[in-house]
Each structure stands twice: as structure tokens, then as C-alpha cells.
């Protein structure tokens, strides 16, 4: 045997290096697979959250429209259209009846948000009907299916 300190017979340096490379490769593979699985789930969750915010804003805008209509009840079509002239509100129909004037309107909201995944967008729309009369008790706002 030689007493050369640079020579190892049990493969000490090279075996350790191989184990480290194997461990590092395994960690990179696990991290890549984890990211490939987790990122789409997080993106979908973020998109659903944005869509729920848009739906809540549609309902809030419809409630503001209802409050504006009931604040100054009128039987004139032009006055009701003016009262419903909020951003994102489209008056579809004004129908006069025995109980009062029924206003059908559509609320549209578009939300965008920046996220880790870039810009995300959600659009929401719903139709509502509100009867406006001069009586002291206001009618309940009704949610309707939107016409195509």
C-alpha cells in the first residue's frame, strides 16, 4: 500500500459526490412536480375568488339601484330610468301595472386583478326586477334569468 493521501480506496469523495447529486436531482424533480400540480390549483382558486367578488359586486350594485329607485318613487318612465342610471346598470324594460311600475334591469360587472399568475379577469351579470309604487311598503327586488 502506498501512503499517498490523495488516493482513497473506498470511493469516499466520488461516492459522496454521487449521493449529493442524486439527492439534489431528486429534490429538483419533487419540486418541479409539486409546482406543476400546485400552480394550476392556486390559479383556479384565485380565479374563483375573483368571480365571487364580481358576483358580490353585481348584488351590491343591484341593491344600490333598488335604493335609488325607492328613494324617490315615481310612476314616470324617464324618472325611473334616470334613477337607475348607475354604472353597469342597463334598463331592459319598464312596465306599468296595477301595483306600480315594474323596472327590469341588468347589472354587469367586470373585475380584473393582478396576481402571481398575471392579470385575471372575471365578468358577472344578473337581471333584476323592482316594482316601484307610491305605497309605504316597498316591494322585494326579484332576481330574474337574463334574456339572451
Amino acid at each position: 500500500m502506498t501512503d499517498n493521501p490523495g488516493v482513497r480506496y473506498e470511493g469516499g469523495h466520488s461516492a459522496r459526490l454521487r449521493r449529493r447529486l442524486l439527492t439534489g436531482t431528486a429534490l429538483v424533480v419533487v419540486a418541479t412536480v409539486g409546482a406543476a400540480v400546485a400552480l394550476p390549483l392556486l390559479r383556479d382558486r384565485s380565479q374563483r375568488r375573483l368571480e365571487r367578488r364580481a358576483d358580490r359586486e353585481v348584488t351590491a350594485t343591484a341593491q344600490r339601484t333598488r335604493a335609488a329607485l325607492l328613494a324617490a318613487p315615481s310612476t314616470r318612465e324617464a324618472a325611473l330610468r334616470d334613477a337607475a342610471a348607475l354604472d353597469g346598470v342597463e334598463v331592459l324594460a319598464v312596465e306599468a301595472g296595477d301595483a306600480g311600475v315594474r323596472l327590469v334591469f341588468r347589472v354587469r360587472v367586470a373585475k380584473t386583478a393582478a396576481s402571481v399568475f398575471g392579470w385575471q379577469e372575471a365578468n358577472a351579470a344578473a337581471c333584476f326586477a323592482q316594482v316601484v309604487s307610491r305605497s309605504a311598503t316597498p316591494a322585494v327586488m326579484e332576481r330574474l334569468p337574463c334574456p339572451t
Side-chain angles (χ1 to χ4, degrees), residues 40-114:
L41 294 175
L42 291 173
R43 183 176 44 246
D44 290 345
R45 183 175 181 222
S46 177
Q47 181 66 33
R48 283 192 308 271
R49 190 176 324 137
L50 186 62
E51 288 168 359
R52 283 193 305 270
R53 283 179 40 207
D55 286 336
R56 283 194 303 269
E57 191 166 325
V58 163
T59 303
T61 303
Q63 290 294 335
R64 283 194 306 275
T65 303
R66 179 182 190 269
L69 290 170
L70 297 177
S74 174
T75 56
R76 290 186 15 245
E77 180 180 334
L80 290 174
R81 285 184 184 273
D82 288 343
L86 296 174
D87 193 28
V89 177
E90 173 189 5
V91 176
L92 300 176
V94 180
E95 306 158 351
D98 295 335
V101 179
R102 183 173 188 250
L103 187 80
V104 178
F105 58 96
R106 175 184 294 148
V107 179
R108 291 185 181 164
V109 172
K111 297 289 275 185
T112 57

